[in-house]
């Protein structure tokens, strides 16, 4: 079988993978969480509510990291969820990649990863296993990343000398397997939670009439964000990060999955392109400020037939105060919007804004307890088509006990 140039290059790069013994690290957490909300039915149940189910759940994340040498690394990240009745909700892989570090002159280095991975953009999910350091939930921006955007491909990053006071990184990514990203934004809107989709998982879509008529070819059980590539077209991402170590960072990235907008095996390859910007400032040992902005557009279908086209944008700003070694209080304010551009199907416009307040208590290195309140004022134009008011505002109180290992 003839290999593509990209495949051949990857195999050549990782052929020397060492079989020698190395450092193994197994880590993760188990969390018991409960929430009570006043909001429309959850998106996880096929509604347009912004939050997860109004009940208790258990979740577990486990990471396995093997470093046979300074040059090589293998990383596996898996998660499992259950509902309040003990029924499994999701079990699978979040990230799996092999990385090689190439050390260059003057202390700089190249880091090459191959597999499925998060790109280093989030200013919230900066703890191991893509967990928020500051709150129980993620912003609408990073909730969407957690749901639908996680490249499957090759990432190359150049970094300057880690001993330098300044920080500089350039990154390029070639990827596939993210062709359906944009589906949830267009047909459901933004949401807020801490749920990371796993490889091959199918997420529910609202029961819109157009999914049974104009887009009857779409699989009827929902949308699969991550799986085999649909259209055979390689997407790309490019990023830059600058800053002063342990003080502040500025980030910018461009992401484009280059979807062909056509139907493939029950899924549309959405043409999704967006810019993302981030900033982080550690004022002192107690205070951290962070913000991100994302904007782009996505669409599917042919212009002469049923199709969807939207513009989307979302911004959040976060302030976190660690007023005691065991206590952290954080506040986030965010805004999001989706503008319908096609005008031929249902109105996919979506709006929302509101605050999130959290308190985290970590009495030891193995335990963390959290309490959070969130209120979003939201409007989703198409919700009337499934028997829900277009004003989808709601609030939620969350509690969580987490054991870390």
């Amino acid at each position: 079988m003839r290999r593509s140039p990209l495949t051949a290059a990857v195999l050549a790069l990782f052929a020397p993978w060492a079989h020698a013994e190395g450092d193994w690290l197994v880590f993760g957490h188990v969390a018991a969480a409960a929430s009570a909300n006043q909001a429309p039915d959850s998106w996880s149940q096929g509604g347009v509510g912004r939050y997860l189910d109004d009940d208790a759940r258990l979740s577990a994340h486990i990471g396995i990291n093997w470093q046979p040498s300074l040059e090589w690394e293998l990383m596996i990240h898996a998660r499992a969820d259950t509902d309040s009745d003990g029924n499994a909700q999701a079990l699978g892989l979040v990230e799996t990649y092999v990385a090689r570090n190439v050390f260059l002159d003057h202390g700089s280095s190249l880091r090459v990863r191959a597999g499925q991975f998060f790109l280093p953009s989030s200013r919230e999910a900066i703890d191991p296993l893509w967990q928020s350091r500051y709150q129980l939930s993620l912003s609408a921006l990073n909730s969407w990343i957690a749901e639908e955007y996680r490249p499957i491909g090759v990432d190359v990053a150049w970094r300057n000398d880690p001993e330098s006071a300044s920080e500089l990184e350039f990154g390029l990514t070639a990827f596939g397997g993210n062709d359906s990203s944009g589906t949830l934004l267009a047909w459901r809107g933004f949401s807020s939670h801490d749920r990371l989709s796993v490889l091959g998982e199918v997420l529910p879509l609202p029961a819109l009439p157009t999914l049974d008529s104009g887009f009857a070819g779409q699989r009827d059980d929902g949308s699969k964000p991550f799986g085999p590539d649909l259209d055979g077209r390689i997407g790309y991402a490019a990023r830059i990060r600058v800053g002063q170590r342990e003080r502040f960072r500025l980030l910018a990235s461009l992401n484009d999955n280059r979807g062909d907008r056509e139907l493939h095996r029950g899924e549309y390859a959405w043409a999704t392109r967006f810019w993302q910007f981030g900033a982080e400032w550690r004022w002192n040992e107690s205070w951290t400020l962070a913000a991100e902005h994302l904007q782009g557009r996505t669409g599917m279908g042919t212009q002469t037939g049923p199709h969807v086209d939207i513009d989307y944008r979302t911004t959040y700003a976060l302030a976190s105060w660690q007023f005691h070694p065991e206590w952290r209080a954080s506040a986030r304010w965010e805004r999001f919007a989706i503008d319908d551009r096609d005008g031929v199907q249902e109105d996919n416009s979506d709006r929302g804004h509101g605050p999130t307040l959290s308190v985290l208590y970590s009495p030891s290195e193995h335990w963390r307890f959290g309490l959070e309140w969130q209120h979003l004022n939201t409007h989703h134009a198409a919700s009337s088509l499934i028997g829900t008011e277009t004003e989808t505002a709601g609030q939620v109180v969350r509690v969580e006990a987490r054991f870390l290992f």
Side-chain angles (χ1 to χ4, degrees):
M1 181 177 65
R2 184 172 181 176
R3 296 170 177 152
S4 69
L6 177 61
T7 302
V10 172
L11 292 176
L13 179 65
F14 291 97
W17 176 259
H19 295 284
E21 293 185 1
D23 293 332
W24 286 89
L25 178 63
V26 179
F27 60 101
H29 68 266
V30 178
S35 62
N37 68 57
Q38 298 175 346
D41 290 342
S42 168
W43 65 270
S44 65
Q45 300 298 316
V48 293
R50 313 292 174 164
Y51 313 123
L52 291 179
D53 298 336
D54 185 11
D55 60 11
R57 61 189 177 98
L58 290 174
S59 64
H61 288 254
I62 184 169
I64 301 174
N65 184 267
W66 180 41
Q67 295 187 11
S69 67
L70 291 175
E71 290 79 16
W72 292 97
E73 177 186 359
L74 171 67
M75 178 66 194
I76 299 173
H77 173 191
R79 65 166 275 265
D81 277 0
T82 66
D83 59 21
S84 56
D85 297 323
N87 300 314
Q89 296 294 297
L91 173 63
L93 296 174
V94 178
E95 293 183 276
T96 306
Y97 62 82
V98 173
R100 184 180 184 185
N101 297 308
V102 180
F103 299 101
L104 307 174
D105 294 336
H106 309 295
S108 64
S109 64
L110 282 177
R111 179 173 171 82
V112 184
R113 290 189 293 171
Q116 181 170 27
F117 40 78
F118 287 103
L119 294 178
S121 60
S122 176
R123 295 301 87 210
E124 293 178 291
I126 59 175
D127 275 354
L129 304 181
W130 220 72
Q131 299 297 297
S132 174
R133 179 171 297 179
Y134 308 112
Q135 300 187 299
L136 300 183
S137 67
L138 296 168
S139 63
L141 187 157
N142 284 301
S143 294
W144 176 62
I145 297 293
E147 291 168 359
E148 285 200 296
Y149 184 69
R150 197 173 315 143
I152 303 174
V154 179
D155 179 73
V156 181
W158 177 89
R159 298 169 178 171
N160 71 332
D161 186 350
E163 299 298 324
S164 172
S166 62
E167 182 179 30
L168 180 62
E169 177 180 322
F170 299 99
L172 291 172
T173 312
F175 66 90
N178 275 214
D179 291 325
S180 64
S181 62
T183 307
L184 295 177
L185 279 184
W187 281 333
R188 186 214 62 199
F190 282 103
S191 62
S192 180
H193 53 81
D194 65 343
R195 191 181 190 281
L196 310 183
S197 301
V198 299
L199 182 66
E201 182 180 8
V202 178
L203 300 181
L205 293 171
L208 295 170
T210 52
L211 293 179
D212 293 326
S213 55
F215 302 106
Q218 170 72 32
R219 58 189 299 165
D220 57 12
D221 57 346
S223 174
K224 183 165 66 174
F226 311 120
D229 197 80
L230 298 176
D231 59 9
R233 302 176 66 177
I234 300 298
Y236 68 88
R239 67 183 184 275
I240 181 174
R241 179 171 67 183
V242 299
Q244 183 180 0
R245 299 185 193 280
E246 306 303 324
R247 187 65 173 172
F248 75 90
R249 289 187 177 95
L250 299 174
L251 304 94
S253 66
L254 172 63
N255 306 263
D256 191 343
N257 73 350
R258 300 182 64 246
D260 68 0
R261 302 177 62 105
E262 300 292 338
L263 181 66
H264 305 268
R265 304 185 300 278
E267 291 270 10
Y268 283 90
W270 292 66
T272 302
R273 180 184 176 96
F274 63 91
W275 285 92
Q276 188 171 357
F277 305 94
E280 180 182 37
W281 180 32
R282 295 185 180 180
W283 187 4
N284 53 37
E285 293 184 356
S286 300
W287 281 95
T288 300
L289 305 177
E292 288 185 80
H293 174 76
L294 182 149
Q295 66 179 58
R297 58 177 45 189
T298 187
M300 48 75 73
T302 62
Q303 296 299 314
T304 57
H307 64 280
V308 175
D309 285 285
I310 62 168
D311 291 335
Y312 55 94
R313 58 193 178 277
T314 178
T315 305
Y316 78 84
L318 179 149
S320 184
W321 178 33
Q322 188 163 4
F323 56 91
H324 186 275
E326 299 177 353
W327 289 90
R328 179 185 293 275
S330 303
R332 181 181 71 226
W333 185 90
E334 61 190 305
R335 178 181 294 274
F336 54 81
I338 295 174
D339 298 322
D340 187 287
R341 292 192 295 114
D342 57 79
V344 296
Q345 306 300 323
E346 71 276 341
D347 186 352
N348 294 304
S349 299
D350 192 54
R351 295 285 187 279
H353 66 273
T356 303
L357 304 177
S358 308
V359 176
L360 302 179
Y361 171 54
S362 303
S364 72
E365 63 177 338
H366 294 295
W367 286 100
R368 192 189 81 172
F369 302 91
L371 173 64
E372 180 174 281
W373 170 83
Q374 183 178 30
H375 181 85
L376 293 175
N377 293 297
T378 60
H379 174 93
H380 189 72
S383 61
S384 61
L385 300 178
I386 61 172
T388 303
E389 295 291 332
T390 57
E391 299 302 322
T392 56
Q395 61 182 342
V396 61
V397 175
R398 304 179 178 95
V399 293
E400 181 191 83
R402 178 176 295 196
F403 176 74
L404 300 98
F405 57 88

